[in-house]
Every structure is written in structure tokens, then in C-alpha cells.
Amino acid sequence: MILPLKLEGVSFLHIIKPLSLQIEAGPSTIILGANGAGKSVLMRLMHGLLAPSSGQVSWSGPEARRRQAMVFQRPVMLRRSAFQNVRYALDVAGAADADRVAREAMAEVGLSHLAHQPARVLSGGEQQRLALARAWALHPEVLFLDDPTASLDPTATR
Ligand SMILES: Nc1ncnc2c1ncn2[C@@H]1O[C@H](COP(=O)(O)OP(=O)(O)O)[C@@H](O)[C@H]1O
Ligand SMILES: [Mg+2]
């Protein structure tokens, strides 16, 4: 068990004022706020991509076993096929059976027919779904989604 995630007096520059909270395992936790409120910064702090100016971000459970992934508001795709973007993430993570898992993740987000297209020519919404497939394929215990439906139509959002 790696949760709860605990923030104690976490601040970041002038953007996040000291904040303490705890996130438990279970149903999704949603962070709401106006544009520029600091939601993306907060998620990066939680995911460990930014170091807090003060305070502490901590998880229960051993660091080595923690599998977390993040899908960014503007996904960054590698210069290879859609399929290879997912496959590469699995290889880096040392996942077994990477070909099958990548194929399943592509199917899950309805992108099988675009598997061999260069990822960077996909539409914004397709790239967003590909980014989700790439994160899902890793079967993370914790998944951070930053505005994951911003460029999706209602069907894709569901
Ligand atoms: N790494 C950073 N260093 C300094 N300022 C940042 C950094 N990242 C974002 N900001 C600023 O922090 C504010 C909050 O941004 P952000 O977290 O992206 O808001 P949102 O709630 O819309 O996701 C913005 O004014 C942004 O310019
Ligand atoms: Mg944001």
C-alpha cells in the first residue's frame, strides 16, 4: 500500500501558499480551480517533477515499489509511431510482454487503426488518448491526470 499521499506545508515560489493535505486510496480525487490557480504546478509537486520551496511531499510505503504515471495537459510525443510511443514507455519500465500490453492499451483508447502513424501527426485529442494509453499500459498504482479531457470530444471523454 503506497497511499496516502501527504503534503505538509508545501509551497512553491509565490504560486502555491503553504498547503497541507492528504489523499487516500480509493475513488479519484479531483482538484478544481480557475486558470492559473496552480493545479498543474501542484500535480507536478505531487508527482515529484518539481521540488517544493518549503514543506514535504511524502508517500507511505517503500519508494522502490511505487508505480506512478502522469498524463500532461499538453502531451509530449516521441518522434516515432503511435504504437512505438506506448511500447517505448513499457521498455523503459522493464515491463514484460510489452508488445501485447501496448496493443491492448491502444485498443482501449480506440487508436488501433492509427498505431503505425507517426504520433506527432495525430490530432490533439488523439495524442491525448495516446498519452493516456501510454500511462495506462504501465498499470500505475497512482495516475495523475492533468486536464485529461481538455481536447477530447464527449465520446472520447467518456
Ligand atoms: N515551473 C514554474 N516556475 C514558475 N512559475 C510557474 C511554473 N509553472 C507554472 N508557473 C506559473 O504558475 C501559475 C500557475 O500555473 P498552473 O499550475 O499551470 O495553473 P493551472 O491551475 O491553470 O494548471 C501560472 O502563473 C504559471 O505561469
Ligand atoms: Mg493546468
Side-chain angles (χ1 to χ4, degrees):
M1 211 39 187
I2 54 156
L3 289 165
L5 163 65
K6 222 189 259 179
L7 273 64
E8 293 162 288
V10 168
S11 73
F12 185 76
L13 303 178
H14 59 286
I15 298 160
I16 307 241
K17 299 198 188 103
L19 174 66
S20 299
L21 60 86
Q22 186 161 313
I23 295 180
E24 309 285 346
S28 307
T29 297
I30 299 178
I31 299 169
L32 293 174
N35 288 153
K39 305 178 295 294
S40 294
V41 167
L42 180 59
M43 278 205 174
R44 283 166 193 266
L45 287 164
M46 290 174 169
H47 191 41
L49 294 173
L50 285 175
S53 304
S54 67
Q56 273 194 346
V57 177
S58 60
W59 300 80
S60 48
E63 178 116 10
R65 285 194 309 120
R66 200 165 73 224
R67 287 200 319 277
Q68 29 177 114
M70 182 160 171
V71 175
F72 298 92
Q73 199 162 357
R74 269 165 287 173
V76 181
M77 292 299 149
L78 302 174
R79 208 179 289 278
R80 15 185 123 189
S81 72
F83 175 80
Q84 286 301 335
N85 264 267
V86 178
R87 175 70 217 256
Y88 180 75
L90 287 162
D91 287 343
V92 169
D97 224 354
D99 244 40
R100 182 182 57 79
V101 174
R103 264 202 314 277
E104 285 173 3
M106 297 286 294
E108 184 86 25
V109 298
L111 286 183
S112 300
H113 62 298
L114 296 175
H116 300 295
Q117 292 291 318
R120 291 185 179 185
V121 308
L122 300 187
S123 75
E126 286 164 350
Q127 289 193 26
Q128 191 76 45
R129 276 146 62 195
L130 183 58
L132 192 56
R134 194 166 57 181
W136 257 340
L138 300 171
H139 299 302
E141 296 161 283
V142 179
L143 179 56
F144 293 105
L145 302 172
D146 192 357
D147 250 330
T149 61
S151 39
L152 299 186
D153 59 39
T155 306
T157 298
R158 267 203 301 282

